Amino acid sequence: MNDKRLPELLAPAGSFECLLAAVEAGADAIYVGGKRFGARAFAKNFDLEELSRAAVYCRLHGVRLYVTVNTLVDDKEFPELIEYAAELYRIGVDALIIADLGAIAEIKRCVPGLELHASTQMSVHNTEGAIAAKKLGASRVVLARELPLSEIKNAVRESGCEIEVFLHGALCVSYSGQCLFSSLVGGRSGNRGECAQPCRLPYNGKYPISLKDLSLADHIPALIESGVASLKIEGRMKSADYVYTVTKIYRTLLDEERAANAEEKEALRRAFSRGGFTDAYFKGNPALPMTGIRSESDKEDSRANVQRSFEPNRVKVRATASIHLGKPASMTLTDGVRTVSVVGATPAPAENAPLDPESTRARLAKMGNTYLSLSVDDIELSLDEGVNLAPSALNALRRDAAEKFESVSRPLPNFDYVPKRYAQVGARNITTAKFFSEKLYNDLIADLGDLDKFIDIPFIPVFSEDSSLSSKVGVY
């Protein structure tokens, strides 16, 4: 890890290859999305198995892993959300990035050991907002991208919680999470992770609301001095090459505590640009020109970059194995920092083909699909003569040692989650359905009969006094 006074460098990963690229480029932490509740629904994203593998890989490389749960959550989704959060905690995810106030409160109540960060989608744009998020249970707040340096410093100094700010990447034309444009024109809600980015389209032949990407490459010393805990790169929809290039440049700038030079700025531009970059919000001067589009020239420059492939960087370990007659076989793995030991089956006297050191080391060195690498030369073997241990037992010994070394699992918290919106009436759950006129309710009863059967849950009708909404009906 880096000097403690440096902010964490937080990189995006929309796929496992992007995660590999971020680790290789020197990220301190990586944020990813799962298949549900993420604000980038159209990224590849990670299922639970992939998230578990990602947690293992990040832990082995000393990198923290955060998962976005940054859409607004409906009542009916809370049971699934809480189960999902508990499973993420179990597999070793370091924190969740949350946008919904109720979700923060409920996850903190049900999975108290799980670290929570208030997402920029929450639009925390002042110190009081950061203090409120902390009271709910957030240990970190990702500030709105529209704040100037002076207000970022205030939040760091006064809020009492960690402050994270965006360092590089796309800007929303609205405060993040507050724009309804995509929902209104195409039925794809940005608050549910489905933004179609209509702000990037032309209107009357012009692009009046397409913003350039943010870049604070000129302000690294000021950001370090501000005391922010984390600097975040946007880009979960971007390629692995983009993630590597941008993360690598900012890793260098942070380590050397300096602003970018002309060559580094050009590399950032070629990685992805919409006619250049902007830092107008950070400077507190949004009157500066901020609009830009992804021109054909920009696209050509990005395509001309060298395309890399990224493979797992396996952690080298050493081993000690002991196979003695009458004692359970044992194996220890270490990388010099972490050490684990396991025991296996007890060897028996060999009848005709005793174990030999060379073949035993070869079998123990096969790390298979793990993220570990073990050379036969790095195995210290203590082996009795004339003993035998079945190949399956040797494989199990090696497999148990590798799994234990990679393991990040934690015990699930004990909770029995019942959504607060439900009340028990006998053996049945009830909820309410709000109707904006009694006539509408009666018309539905006449047309549909038993509404409990129609909506598949029993409900109590509640009528609104707002007559202007008399043509609408909602189930809550």
Side-chain angles (χ1 to χ4, degrees):
M1 299 295 289
N2 299 295
D3 190 312
K4 288 188 293 186
R5 71 196 283 302
L6 293 179
E8 168 191 87
L9 180 58
L10 177 57
S15 68
F16 209 91
E17 186 182 18
C18 290
L19 182 138
L20 298 177
V23 171
E24 187 173 326
D28 297 309
I30 297 171
Y31 66 102
V32 304
K35 295 296 187 181
R36 293 291 311 277
F37 306 112
R40 291 292 183 268
F42 301 108
K44 290 182 180 179
N45 292 320
F46 293 66
D47 60 26
L48 276 173
E49 181 181 351
E50 290 169 325
L51 286 170
S52 181
R53 289 171 49 221
V56 167
Y57 190 77
C58 287
R59 171 182 172 273
L60 290 174
H61 290 278
V63 174
R64 285 167 61 81
L65 179 68
Y66 309 145
V67 175
T68 59
V69 185
N70 56 345
T71 60
L72 303 184
V73 182
D74 293 337
D75 276 356
K76 64 186 178 183
E77 295 173 316
F78 264 90
E80 180 184 353
L81 172 69
I82 299 302
E83 292 289 347
Y84 181 53
E87 184 64 15
L88 293 176
Y89 173 81
R90 187 194 69 78
I91 65 177
V93 167
D94 292 291
L96 302 189
I97 303 172
I98 313 286
D100 188 292
L101 292 173
I104 284 185
E106 284 296 271
I107 293 174
K108 196 65 181 177
R109 179 174 71 87
C110 297
V111 196
L114 184 52
E115 185 177 323
L116 302 180
H117 299 171
S119 169
T120 191
Q121 314 298 133
M122 197 178 284
S123 295
V124 176
H125 52 272
N126 54 45
T127 300
E128 291 302 316
I131 292 171
K134 182 184 178 184
K135 288 179 180 178
L136 279 175
S139 62
R140 179 185 294 185
V141 172
V142 188
L143 292 179
R145 300 171 227 211
E146 294 77 14
L147 297 187
L149 176 60
S150 59
E151 297 192 20
I152 292 171
K153 287 182 175 181
N154 285 342
V156 171
R157 184 173 58 250
E158 304 293 339
S159 69
C161 65
E162 292 184 351
I163 296 298
E164 178 177 307
V165 299
F166 275 87
L167 177 66
H168 192 94
L171 289 171
C172 293
V173 68
S174 174
Y175 278 86
S176 300
Q178 302 302 307
C179 182
L180 298 177
F181 195 7
S182 177
S183 181
L184 288 170
V185 301
R188 285 171 48 176
S189 173
N191 292 322
R192 299 285 290 175
E194 299 175 346
C195 182
Q197 297 189 317
C199 56
R200 303 297 183 193
L201 299 177
Y203 297 93
N204 296 324
K206 298 180 180 180
Y207 295 83
I209 54 175
S210 176
L211 297 187
K212 294 179 179 179
D213 278 17
L214 167 73
S215 177
L216 299 184
D218 283 333
H219 304 286
I220 299 301
L223 287 165
I224 294 172
E225 188 274 333
S226 74
V228 295
S230 181
L231 297 173
K232 184 174 194 171
I233 299 168
E234 186 277 337
R236 283 194 293 127
M237 298 289 287
K238 299 290 200 309
S239 69
D241 284 295
Y242 172 88
V243 171
Y244 178 83
T245 298
V246 175
T247 303
K248 187 71 172 177
I249 289 171
Y250 281 108
R251 175 76 278 151
T252 300
L253 298 182
L254 281 170
D255 289 346
E256 297 179 5
E257 301 183 30
R258 62 174 176 83
N261 58 35
E263 182 180 355
E264 289 160 335
K265 291 179 188 178
E266 175 63 10
L268 290 172
R269 187 195 69 78
R270 294 178 70 87
F272 189 93
S273 168
R274 290 186 172 96
F277 299 107
T278 180
D279 58 3
Y281 285 134
F282 187 79
K283 288 181 175 179
N285 188 4
L288 293 172
M290 294 181 66
T291 58
I293 62 170
R294 183 95 167 123
S295 68
E296 287 302 318
S297 175
D298 288 329
K299 296 175 186 178
E300 285 295 325
D301 285 343
S302 295
R303 284 193 287 265
N305 287 334
V306 175
Q307 301 297 305
R308 307 173 185 84
S309 61
F310 298 91
E311 299 295 331
N313 181 12
R314 301 185 188 278
V315 174
K316 293 183 178 180
V317 293
R318 301 186 305 277
T320 301
S322 178
I323 303 174
H324 296 296
L325 191 64
K327 295 181 180 180
S330 65
M331 185 173 184
T332 297
L333 291 179
T334 183
D335 64 351
V337 178
R338 293 155 291 193
T339 301
V340 301
S341 297
V342 296
V343 295
T346 300
E351 294 183 2
N352 47 32
L355 293 179
D356 67 87
E358 183 177 352
S359 62
T360 301
R361 284 192 177 92
R363 186 172 291 278
L364 292 177
K366 294 179 179 179
M367 290 289 106
N369 292 325
T370 70
Y371 294 123
L372 306 179
S373 173
L374 176 59
S375 167
V376 293
D377 295 330
D378 289 327
I379 300 175
E380 182 181 332
L381 177 63
S382 178
L383 175 65
D384 280 350
E385 293 183 2
V387 300
N388 196 12
L389 193 61
S392 60
L394 282 172
N395 292 343
L397 184 68
R398 179 200 67 231
R399 184 172 57 251
D400 289 348
E403 288 179 357
K404 188 172 182 180
F405 194 93
E406 289 191 334
S407 175
V408 294
S409 64
R410 297 177 289 206
L412 279 171
N414 293 319
F415 64 89
D416 184 16
Y417 182 70
V418 177
K420 291 182 177 179
R421 66 186 289 264
Y422 291 119
Q424 293 292 327
V425 178
R428 308 178 77 200
N429 288 327
I430 65 168
T431 187
T432 61
K434 180 175 283 188
F435 295 88
F436 296 99
S437 78
E438 189 168 359
K439 180 179 182 301
L440 177 58
Y441 169 72
N442 290 332
D443 288 346
L444 283 172
I445 286 288
D447 291 339
L448 301 171
D450 189 345
L451 282 185
D452 283 0
K453 294 180 180 178
F454 176 68
I455 64 173
D456 202 33
I457 52 174
F459 70 95
I460 297 173
V462 179
F463 300 102
S464 171
E465 296 180 357
D466 189 345
S467 60
S468 68
L469 300 175
S470 59
S471 64
K472 299 180 180 179
V473 61
V475 177
Y476 296 83

